[in-house]
Amino acid sequence: MEIYVLDIRKIRRKDEKKVKELMPRRFEYCKRFINHDDYLRSMGASILMLKHLPFKNEDKFGKTENGKPYLIDGPEFNYSHSGNKVILALSATEKIGVDVEKIDEENLSFKDQIFPNELEYINEDPIKNFHLLWTKKEALGKLLGYGLNFKNKDVVINEKDEIVYKNKTIKFISYIKKGYAYSVAFIK
């Protein structure tokens, strides 16, 4: 498994030109964003895909019925973005899902999506543990192909980096770095 993180403040015009040249449909998709930071986050995901995925043209990409992108005859990959960060994970052997969230106290308003026994874990270090738990849930939803349609209250997650969900062992790699929480979920 490989994990890459890009700070969108480091995107250069030459990177954008490369996306325009090699991924014209994706470039047009990025241009649709009115908010410049949204444009940069989408462009950042495109740049990471260009740099780290083995493809010759855009026709090698597909999307599941729930919108999860995949590479035809290529490695499993997933990306996420928040604030100034974009994360891309790829694996030739495991299905994966990723999430990144900028750590922000205002995110604690989502606590209604958390089980009571998860609150015990969160209350040990509310801001840190909430964001780690939340990114695990989002990464799990993306791994399973549900994306934002995943009902976060469907599964209990705690500080452990492994759960069993629908008879599948799911592992997590989670960490906090420079004000962001990151999680990768994969089936082992």
Side-chain angles (χ1 to χ4, degrees):
M1 180 181 315
E2 299 169 48
I3 301 169
Y4 303 96
V5 176
L6 173 70
D7 186 319
I8 63 171
R9 295 170 295 188
K10 295 182 179 180
I11 293 175
R12 302 291 173 248
R13 188 66 72 199
K14 67 177 183 165
D15 299 320
E16 293 175 89
K17 287 180 180 178
K18 202 168 198 177
V19 170
K20 183 177 183 178
E21 176 187 331
L22 299 173
M23 299 176 78
R25 289 190 305 268
R26 178 74 189 189
F27 181 79
E28 290 301 318
Y29 170 79
C30 294
K31 281 184 16 183
R32 292 186 351 211
F33 290 101
I34 295 168
N35 179 293
H36 188 65
D37 285 343
D38 291 338
Y39 164 81
L40 288 174
R41 284 187 278 273
S42 185
M43 182 59 64
S46 305
I47 291 164
L48 286 176
M49 287 188 283
L50 260 179
K51 194 170 189 180
H52 301 291
L53 293 178
F55 69 96
K56 300 283 188 243
N57 65 58
E58 278 184 301
D59 295 334
K60 296 293 182 182
F61 286 95
K63 282 192 177 189
T64 67
E65 63 186 48
N66 288 325
K68 183 178 180 181
Y70 65 90
L71 190 57
I72 299 166
D73 299 325
E76 177 81 14
F77 78 96
N78 198 233
Y79 64 86
S80 178
H81 41 70
S82 177
N84 291 326
K85 303 294 181 187
V86 179
I87 182 174
L88 171 79
L90 60 112
S91 173
T93 58
E94 293 116 358
K95 293 185 77 151
I96 55 176
V98 299
D99 191 46
V100 58
E101 290 296 332
K102 184 175 184 186
I103 294 176
D104 186 341
E105 203 168 317
E106 288 183 21
N107 289 341
L108 294 175
S109 64
F110 288 102
K111 275 178 127 175
D112 64 334
Q113 296 291 318
I114 305 298
F115 280 116
N117 54 341
E118 292 172 332
L119 281 176
E120 185 178 313
Y121 165 64
I122 288 174
N123 288 334
E124 293 171 13
D125 188 342
I127 294 172
K128 174 188 164 209
N129 290 349
F130 172 80
H131 286 87
L132 287 173
L133 185 120
W134 190 259
T135 57
K136 285 180 182 181
K137 287 190 175 217
E138 292 285 335
L140 175 62
K142 293 173 81 178
L143 163 74
L144 300 173
Y146 299 125
L148 298 177
N149 296 320
F150 183 62
K151 304 294 184 234
N152 282 321
K153 288 187 88 169
D154 288 349
V155 62
V156 176
I157 297 177
N158 54 31
E159 73 279 0
K160 295 179 181 169
D161 288 327
E162 182 177 300
I163 64 166
V164 175
Y165 180 74
K166 294 189 177 182
N167 298 319
K168 295 178 182 170
T169 299
I170 297 173
K171 294 188 177 255
F172 297 95
I173 298 170
S174 298
Y175 59 96
I176 290 181
K177 187 174 181 181
K178 296 183 180 179
Y180 288 83
Y182 300 88
S183 287
V184 180
F186 56 100
I187 297 174
K188 202 59 174 163

